Amino acid sequence: MAAGSFRRSIASQLSKVLDLPPENLIKSISAVPVSKKRHVADFQFSIASIIENSSSDCLTQDLHLQAQQLAERLKCDSVVSGISAGPGTVNFTINRELLAKTVLQQVWKDGSEYGVKSELFSTVPRQKAVIEFSSPNIAKKFHIGHLRSTIVGNFIANLKVALGHEVVRINYLGDWGMQFGLLGVGFQSFGNKEKLKSSPLQHLFEVYVQINKAAEDENTKQLAKDFFRKLEEHDEQTLSIWKQFRDLSIEEYIRIYERLGVHFDEYSGESFYQERAQEVLKMLEDKGLLQKTIKGTGVVDLSEQKDLSTVSTVMRSDGTSLYITRDLAAAIDRMNKHSWDTMIYVTDKSQSNHFQHLFRILKLMGYDWAERCQHVSFGLVQGMKTRRGEVIFLEDVLNEVRSRMLQNMTSTKTTKEIQDPVETAEKVGLAALIIQDFRGLLSSDYQFSWDRALQSRGDTGVFLQYTHARLHSLEQVHGNAELTDVNVACLQEPDAISVLQHLLRYDEVLYRSSQDLQPKHIVSYLLTLSHLAAVAHKTLPVKGSAPDVAQARLCLFHAARSVLASGMKLLGITPVTQM
């Protein structure tokens, strides 16, 4: 990794002066973010990182002084061309030609693995992660929370795979419960087999809405209960109706997920854990954790004082299981089946309490691995409506973003030359959705705006796609860059240096996202890269330049496009080559 070789070189010099092992210093040496001031150093070393137990009163002044003293003891060499002291930091400027040569060579050599091969990840053990995400309910609205869960879960899975971890992607469907009693009865009254085959999600939802209107009727309620009881008793005819609902829904989901560029290794669901949930209740009883209330429900006491001030209900009064009981059974089953190192649940933050209870009950049952379970929560999205009104299905969102994007593209001059404008519009539109969603902290709520998401300028997914397509066409027009004989002395302009400095930081940004699982670090990095590349594209023309200058610039733009494409793919975006 380019940044790695420079960090090691700086660490080796610091280690001699500070008498500390270089490996202890590497994490404290970071690439400096590109600034509008220009002429900033490339790396900085934080003094605070080597001072233990310092009191903050006299610290700031001490740090300044210590930074100056340390800077005076260090010498420039063939790698470092400038050393200066900043507020609590020692700043290092890398030899400009070496910077260009090393960064370009590394991007060229590592290709899509640039950044992930960094020594920052060398101490991170390769693990097996189970990630449960998306998880819609059959016959109910695929609401916007499911879309967030889908794209966030996909990002986490992509990032983990890129970093060499093994990932199992699970879609845990809401495919059981009393709604199937209603649905079964509803289908007998309002169902249509042809519609069920052609658009199962839409048709089952329509049936569910119609039967819900009639659900106040005592007779309908009783019929629904009877249907669900038969389902629980494994009545063949009832089960085959339920299975048809489930199988056709999954087929349609798979097709829609393909449009999103998302896949799952396993379609699981609550139905898998009906009987195992009963085994969990038996285990809780055997361990003395299941307590009965006056109403006859089963609870687990989660309070510190064991005074029932915090309880989790795990059983209905009729002895049947609840959602959390099935989740307990699923967690235990997944550990037995996959022997995972970490399990991540991606849902909205309203379920935080549910997961706290789930992990605490598992711990009380003696499963220490519960500490390796994690809930990645996200905030709510307000205001996502299609032209036809409220969003009910994921497909509505995808069709809407595609048609709006197609309209925007048709009004620009270049679109007429695109080979497949509809597919391009879908990919660009998806990028717009994903970037709008990922720009802030996942836990924040935000107000959705089609106009803001689909702007072609500013910090949007459309701008990222436009930059990628533009850099790609530059390579198409001028031929692919060749690194073998690049004259790096031709890349000394401030705008070229800014791009190179920014490319240096990519591994740190990936490392940060891998630690907190927040995509916003990568989004912010890619937007800055696109802005820097856009400026360089204007000020450093390839066309009309001397051959060695043109070749060097082409290499620079190739490196920027390569890293941009890799980052976009991690976020779940397919880069387009025409726009």
Side-chain angles (χ1 to χ4, degrees):
M1 182 69 209
S5 64
F6 295 140
R7 276 193 213 101
R8 280 193 299 277
S9 181
I10 293 166
S12 143
Q13 207 191 140
L14 283 167
S15 112
K16 288 173 192 149
V17 173
L18 296 169
D19 200 21
L20 288 167
E23 54 275 17
N24 293 15
L25 302 168
I26 280 179
K27 283 264 168 82
S28 307
I29 301 165
S30 56
V32 178
V34 174
S35 139
K36 288 197 170 75
K37 291 176 190 165
R38 293 287 172 74
H39 306 303
V40 291
D42 302 306
F43 288 93
Q44 60 185 26
F45 172 70
S46 160
I47 294 287
S49 65
I50 52 165
I51 301 169
E52 289 174 23
N53 313 320
S54 329
S55 70
S56 56
D57 300 339
C58 56
L59 193 60
T60 316
Q61 208 172 349
D62 280 2
L63 289 179
H64 285 3
L65 191 61
Q66 291 193 35
Q68 281 170 338
Q69 288 168 345
L70 179 56
E72 283 162 14
R73 292 170 67 196
L74 297 165
K75 291 184 173 65
C76 293
D77 53 22
S78 60
V79 175
V80 175
S81 62
I83 299 169
S84 63
T89 61
V90 177
N91 304 322
F92 299 87
T93 302
I94 302 298
N95 170 312
R96 286 296 168 242
E97 290 191 16
L98 186 64
L99 172 74
K101 187 180 174 186
T102 311
V103 170
L104 295 180
Q105 275 180 346
Q106 199 73 52
V107 176
W108 208 270
K109 180 167 150 260
D110 291 349
S112 62
E113 290 187 317
Y114 178 74
V116 300
K117 282 186 161 183
S118 164
E119 85 276 355
L120 293 180
F121 298 104
S122 61
T123 54
V124 179
R126 298 287 171 265
Q127 292 187 326
K128 184 172 191 177
V130 165
I131 305 174
E132 181 198 292
F133 63 105
S134 194
S135 308
N137 298 304
I138 289 173
K140 290 190 179 174
K141 292 178 187 178
F142 189 109
H143 61 75
I144 198 63
H146 293 125
L147 175 60
R148 277 205 101 175
S149 173
T150 307
I151 59 177
V152 172
N154 188 49
F155 157 70
I156 295 171
N158 290 345
L159 183 61
K160 294 226 171 249
V161 167
L163 295 173
H165 303 294
E166 187 184 344
V167 170
V168 180
R169 302 164 187 245
I170 295 180
N171 197 338
Y172 184 69
L173 300 171
D175 63 355
W176 200 254
M178 192 47 85
Q179 82 253 35
F180 282 93
L182 274 172
L183 199 58
V185 173
F187 197 76
Q188 286 159 2
S189 312
F190 312 110
N192 176 314
K193 285 186 176 171
E194 289 311 306
K195 280 186 179 175
L196 179 66
K197 282 199 169 123
S198 63
S199 52
L201 299 178
Q202 178 93 27
H203 186 54
L204 288 175
F205 179 69
E206 285 164 1
V207 168
Y208 190 62
V209 169
Q210 281 179 287
I211 192 66
N212 255 313
K213 287 174 188 164
E216 296 308 306
D217 171 50
E218 286 305 316
N219 185 37
T220 307
K221 272 186 193 169
Q222 194 51 51
L223 286 170
K225 275 184 182 171
D226 292 346
F227 188 95
F228 188 56
R229 197 192 64 251
K230 281 184 186 171
L231 201 52
E232 293 204 294
E233 289 165 359
H234 298 286
D235 171 70
E236 264 184 50
Q237 194 187 349
T238 317
L239 263 179
S240 86
I241 295 170
W242 168 83
K243 194 173 181 312
Q244 194 182 20
F245 291 168
R246 188 182 192 275
D247 292 351
L248 289 169
S249 295
I250 287 176
E251 269 177 41
E252 192 172 358
Y253 276 134
I254 289 171
R255 186 179 58 73
I256 297 166
Y257 286 131
E258 264 174 22
R259 283 179 68 180
L260 269 174
V262 172
H263 73 276
F264 291 91
D265 302 301
E266 213 175 280
Y267 279 86
S268 173
E270 292 179 69
S271 60
F272 284 60
Y273 297 106
Q274 278 314 101
E275 281 157 27
R276 287 184 182 160
Q278 292 302 321
E279 291 166 26
V280 167
L281 291 173
K282 177 93 176 63
M283 286 162 76
L284 288 168
E285 199 168 9
D286 293 348
K287 288 176 187 289
L289 295 167
L290 187 66
Q291 299 188 35
K292 291 271 177 70
T293 64
I294 303 162
K295 291 177 183 170
T297 57
V299 300
V300 175
D301 185 0
L302 299 174
S303 61
E304 295 293 324
Q305 268 68 45
K306 296 295 166 209
D307 56 4
L308 295 174
S309 55
T310 310
V311 297
S312 182
T313 307
V314 292
M315 184 181 79
R316 289 194 183 90
S317 53
D318 62 2
T320 55
S321 64
L322 289 158
Y323 186 71
I324 192 160
T325 333
R326 299 191 277 273
D327 259 357
L328 288 164
I332 296 163
D333 176 56
R334 287 171 193 169
M335 181 42 112
N336 293 338
K337 189 173 169 186
H338 297 295
S339 300
W340 46 262
D341 299 296
T342 178
M343 178 154 64
I344 298 168
Y345 297 85
V346 185
T347 74
D348 71 69
K349 59 188 178 187
S350 69
Q351 292 193 44
S352 295
N353 216 23
H354 167 82
F355 286 105
Q356 280 169 13
H357 285 192
L358 177 70
F359 303 158
R360 279 167 74 184
I361 295 171
L362 285 166
K363 193 88 168 68
L364 288 172
M365 290 174 80
Y367 296 115
D368 288 340
W369 46 255
E371 291 171 358
R372 292 185 270 129
C373 292
Q374 186 182 355
H375 176 216
V376 172
S377 63
F378 51 80
L380 306 174
V381 184
Q382 280 114 10
M384 184 181 269
K385 286 185 165 59
T386 65
R387 290 191 176 97
R388 293 203 320 233
E390 188 198 2
V391 169
I392 294 176
F393 301 108
L394 173 57
E395 196 152 25
D396 294 339
V397 181
L398 298 181
N399 293 342
E400 180 83 8
V401 75
R402 182 173 65 190
S403 73
R404 282 178 184 255
M405 200 59 232
L406 201 53
Q407 205 176 355
N408 290 4
M409 283 162 53
T410 312
S411 60
T412 65
K413 298 182 188 103
T414 54
T415 307
K416 297 162 191 64
E417 303 148 23
I418 293 178
Q419 284 160 352
D420 190 342
V422 177
E423 195 181 329
T424 301
E426 178 137 320
K427 286 174 182 167
V428 176
L430 257 177
L433 282 183
I434 289 171
I435 295 300
Q436 172 143 308
D437 200 285
F438 284 179
R439 278 189 62 198
L441 265 177
L442 291 178
S443 56
S444 309
D445 301 340
Y446 76 91
Q447 192 70 32
F448 181 83
S449 154
W450 285 109
D451 292 340
R452 194 171 63 237
L454 298 174
Q455 279 173 359
S456 57
R457 294 180 188 282
D459 291 344
T460 65
V462 181
F463 176 58
L464 288 188
Q465 288 284 32
Y466 174 71
T467 306
H468 184 272
R470 201 173 175 196
L471 293 175
H472 183 268
S473 77
L474 191 70
E475 291 180 58
Q476 295 297 98
V477 171
H478 297 284
N480 288 336
E482 286 301 329
L483 191 67
T484 40
D485 50 356
V486 165
N487 180 0
V488 286
C490 302
L491 291 175
Q492 300 309 303
E493 299 88 350
D495 291 331
I497 297 293
S498 290
V499 173
L500 292 164
Q501 284 178 318
H502 194 61
L503 293 175
L504 265 185
R505 287 186 60 230
Y506 188 51
D507 64 339
E508 291 178 18
V509 172
L510 292 181
Y511 183 75
R512 200 166 165 200
S513 273
S514 75
Q515 293 298 295
D516 63 10
L517 302 181
Q518 294 285 339
K520 73 184 186 97
H521 313 304
I522 296 174
V523 169
S524 165
Y525 175 88
L526 296 179
L527 289 166
T528 302
L529 177 60
S530 295
H531 286 297
L532 293 172
V535 170
H537 189 269
K538 271 189 201 141
T539 62
L540 308 173
V542 174
K543 191 179 177 181
S545 299
D548 58 342
V549 174
Q551 188 63 14
R553 288 175 180 175
L554 211 48
C555 274
L556 179 73
F557 291 125
H558 167 81
R561 187 188 66 76
S562 173
V563 174
L564 179 59
S566 298
M568 287 164 80
K569 286 172 190 167
L570 286 180
L571 298 173
I573 297 169
T574 305
V576 299
T577 53
Q578 286 180 306
M579 215 177 126

